[in-house]
Amino acid sequence: MVEGGRQDGRPALLVLLCSSLLLNALFLAHHFVFSPPRLLGHDDGGGSSCGLSWSLQAARDAEAVAAVDCSGHGQVFLDGVVAGEDGRPGCECNTCFAGPDCSIRTPNCTADADSGNPLFLEPYWRRHAAASAVVFSGWHRMSYVTTDGKFQSVELERQIRRLHGAVGNAVADDKHLVFSAGSLQLINALVYALSPDADADASPPARVVATVPYYPVYRTQTQMFDGREYRWSGTTSPWANASRNSTDGDHGGFIEFVTSPNNPDGQLCKAVLGGSAAAIFDHAYYWPHFTHIPAPSDEDVMMFTMSKPSGHAGSRFGWALIRDENVAKKAYSYLQDNTMGASRDTQLRMLGIVKVMLANLHGEGDIFAFGHDMMRTRWRRLNAAVSRSRRISLQKMAPEYCTYFKRVREPSPAYAWVKCEREEDEDCEEALLKAKIITRTGVGNEASSRYTRISLLKSNDDFDMLMERVTDLVNAEKYDNAPGSTSM
């Protein structure tokens, strides 16, 4: 088009303008989509204003070790031993597996069924890796204290109360919470808190007792600390018999440990001593994947540990629910003088873990449904194998109604309490060791040496190896040639 002898340049100018706007849009999109977000006015001390800069490397490192599968028979951990020239940690193999990638199975391996290491829940947390991951800064909770000058996270306290209420295994709202480095630290803290004061010269030391078969640490810790305020006085049996022959039934000065469900036999237990005896209820296993929950426990003193409901034994976190304020203060004072409370880093991790558990209750990702299915299957398999044996037997357990699942549930105990039936197998632990099964003798529980404990809590590899060895043991009976017998 020609006007007044000049060419109209407006179409070309319009194209140029549109191209410029498009290029600017592309540059802006690239900046916001592919670049880390920036926090205005923020500086990380190194001259950068990139808001995620300090956490990115930590996330990359965690993802890198999680991506290594170690042939499915081991794990890589951030704090693992450096294995190669690249400076990265190597695979840590499960029992009976070896090699750089844990792909080599150890021939003729012994099954280790001793420890109560709750690795059966590791697959659950692998499925919930994103929700349960926690990243925190190098300056997180550097102080001795947390909110309001306490050693305990106020928010974690609230979430634990919510968990008990949702599961229905304990009445928590009217109790004081005391945190600890695992439930083991609570054993002596609670004995101390329930004992008479050291300066009360007229008061005799409290007598600490438990019912056979009991968790051995009650005895070993009480004897080890050897306080002036308390002493280990054995089993409840002689004291209960004395009570039945007395008129007042008074048990003043006694502290009774009641483990329910019991470790090692999985039975729900009640206090044996009555009167004014104090009782510490160890509810470490009072969760729906280990036992039926008939009703919420509402005892004066109850102790729990995160190693059993979530499986995080290595984090060392436990807590007590205590009705009496003075007892709670004394226990808190003990832990303050002992360690100044549970690790603040652990408390943050446990806060995330509890929130995941709560968010998935009664859903597809319910940890208690997952755990019960796995433990029930393990108990079924072991029970089926042992039922063919005349040499060993297991404790009897029946299906029971559970308020959490709102149905009758099958047994799923944490441990098998094994009895050796043959006269020559007087030492059951030794008899099973000859069959290449490591167990924990009943002598430690002050039971007969004819009993020994088998853990069902460990990894799938550990349980599979256990089943192989138990099957070998039972099958050998057909030929009267059991592994380790004198006829071999």
Side-chain angles (χ1 to χ4, degrees):
M1 179 178 180
V2 178
E3 182 177 351
R6 292 183 299 172
Q7 185 177 5
D8 190 352
R10 283 179 292 179
L13 183 63
L14 184 61
V15 170
L16 182 62
L17 179 60
C18 290
S19 299
S20 177
L21 289 173
L22 180 62
L23 284 173
N24 278 297
L26 289 174
F27 282 128
L28 287 171
H30 182 276
H31 174 76
F32 285 108
V33 174
F34 297 104
S35 299
R38 296 175 180 271
L39 299 181
L40 295 178
H42 173 76
D43 188 89
D44 62 3
S48 171
S49 60
C50 179
L52 292 181
S53 61
W54 64 264
S55 65
L56 289 177
Q57 188 58 48
R60 291 191 187 102
D61 292 343
E63 290 276 0
V65 297
V68 183
D69 66 1
C70 298
S71 303
H73 302 296
Q75 305 82 25
V76 179
F77 300 102
L78 282 168
D79 60 349
V81 176
V82 174
E85 295 181 357
D86 59 0
R88 296 182 178 179
C91 290
E92 296 184 17
C93 301
N94 295 343
T95 305
C96 298
F97 288 88
D101 62 350
C102 303
S103 61
I104 303 172
R105 178 164 170 171
T106 307
N108 203 27
C109 186
T110 297
D112 188 349
D114 178 9
S115 168
N117 211 358
L119 294 177
F120 77 102
L121 286 171
E122 184 181 280
Y124 176 88
W125 292 110
R126 286 188 177 274
R127 296 180 188 178
H128 295 81
S132 60
V134 177
V135 178
F136 52 90
S137 65
W139 59 91
H140 168 76
R141 294 292 187 194
M142 293 177 65
S143 171
Y144 286 115
V145 297
T146 61
T147 309
D148 298 331
K150 297 177 115 183
F151 296 122
Q152 301 185 176
S153 163
V154 174
E155 181 60 17
L156 180 54
E157 287 188 22
R158 189 175 75 87
Q159 297 297 334
I160 287 175
R161 293 182 193 277
R162 285 188 60 207
L163 183 63
H164 282 302
V167 172
N169 65 339
V171 178
D173 289 343
D174 63 342
K175 310 289 192 310
H176 303 276
L177 256 72
V178 177
F179 292 172
S180 67
S183 63
L184 282 179
Q185 193 182 37
L186 283 172
I187 290 175
N188 201 63
L190 294 175
V191 167
Y192 169 81
L194 291 168
S195 298
D197 294 333
D199 56 0
D201 297 331
S203 299
R207 290 172 285 193
V208 183
V209 296
T211 299
V212 172
Y214 60 81
Y215 184 44
V217 182
Y218 304 148
R219 178 187 70 252
T220 56
Q221 271 207 22
T222 304
Q223 292 175 334
M224 177 176 64
F225 287 104
D226 193 24
R228 291 176 296 172
E229 306 89 350
Y230 51 83
R231 68 168 182 265
W232 177 253
S233 295
T235 68
T236 56
S237 179
W239 306 108
N241 291 335
S243 171
R244 283 190 285 270
N245 295 327
S246 66
T247 57
D248 57 9
D250 179 52
H251 282 109
F254 279 89
I255 300 174
E256 179 183 356
F257 275 101
V258 183
T259 315
S260 185
N262 195 30
N263 176 1
D265 61 12
Q267 304 298 321
L268 293 184
C269 299
K270 297 181 179 180
V272 172
L273 303 183
S276 57
I280 300 171
F281 279 78
D282 186 343
H283 283 324
Y285 298 90
Y286 196 50
W287 298 96
H289 42 13
F290 298 121
T291 187
H292 67 287
I293 307 294
S297 182
D298 192 19
E299 306 297 339
D300 290 342
V301 180
M302 300 176 284
M303 52 187 284
F304 296 86
T305 172
M306 192 55 76
S307 65
K308 298 308 180 286
S310 75
H312 290 86
S315 292
R316 307 311 306 135
F317 181 75
W319 67 94
L321 295 174
I322 305 171
R323 193 187 309 276
D324 185 271
E325 183 178 6
N326 291 327
V327 175
K329 285 181 177 179
K330 196 172 177 182
Y332 184 85
S333 175
Y334 175 99
L335 295 167
Q336 177 180 346
D337 292 339
N338 184 294
T339 55
M340 290 193 178
S343 161
R344 314 305 178 258
D345 296 351
T346 288
Q347 292 186 49
L348 179 63
R349 186 186 189 193
M350 293 303 98
L351 177 60
I353 293 298
V354 173
K355 284 183 176 180
V356 173
M357 295 168 70
L358 282 166
N360 289 282
L361 293 184
H362 302 295
E364 292 184 4
D366 189 338
I367 190 171
F368 299 117
F370 174 93
H372 175 250
D373 287 346
M374 182 171 289
M375 297 304 294
R376 174 189 59 188
T377 300
R378 290 185 176 189
W379 177 250
R380 279 179 179 174
R381 290 179 59 190
L382 181 64
N383 209 24
V386 174
S387 66
R388 300 186 291 110
S389 174
R390 294 184 178 180
R391 185 177 183 183
I392 59 175
S393 62
L394 305 179
Q395 75 266 39
K396 303 299 181 184
M397 306 194 80
E400 299 280 359
Y401 183 82
C402 179
T403 56
Y404 178 77
F405 291 119
K406 294 181 173 57
R407 60 176 170 81
V408 174
R409 66 184 289 287
E410 293 185 47
S412 55
Y415 305 104
W417 188 229
V418 181
K419 182 182 180 182
C420 284
E421 303 287 354
R422 298 197 318 187
E423 184 178 350
E424 58 267 37
D425 291 336
E426 185 176 350
D427 187 337
C428 197
E429 179 194 31
E430 183 63 24
L432 291 187
L433 184 59
K434 289 178 180 178
K436 292 189 174 296
I437 305 172
I438 301 172
T439 62
R440 185 171 295 185
T441 177
V443 174
N445 308 94
E446 227 171 309
S448 166
S449 62
R450 287 196 171 276
Y451 289 89
T452 194
R453 192 193 78 173
I454 286 180
S455 173
L456 305 180
L457 296 170
K458 301 183 73 177
S459 70
N460 287 330
D461 284 339
D462 286 307
F463 183 75
D464 290 342
M465 183 57 64
L466 169 66
M467 288 306 305
E468 285 188 28
R469 295 294 170 252
V470 169
T471 301
D472 292 343
L473 175 69
V474 174
N475 289 342
E477 293 182 40
K478 298 178 182 179
Y479 311 101
D480 193 26
N481 191 27
S485 68
T486 55
S487 59
M488 289 186 69

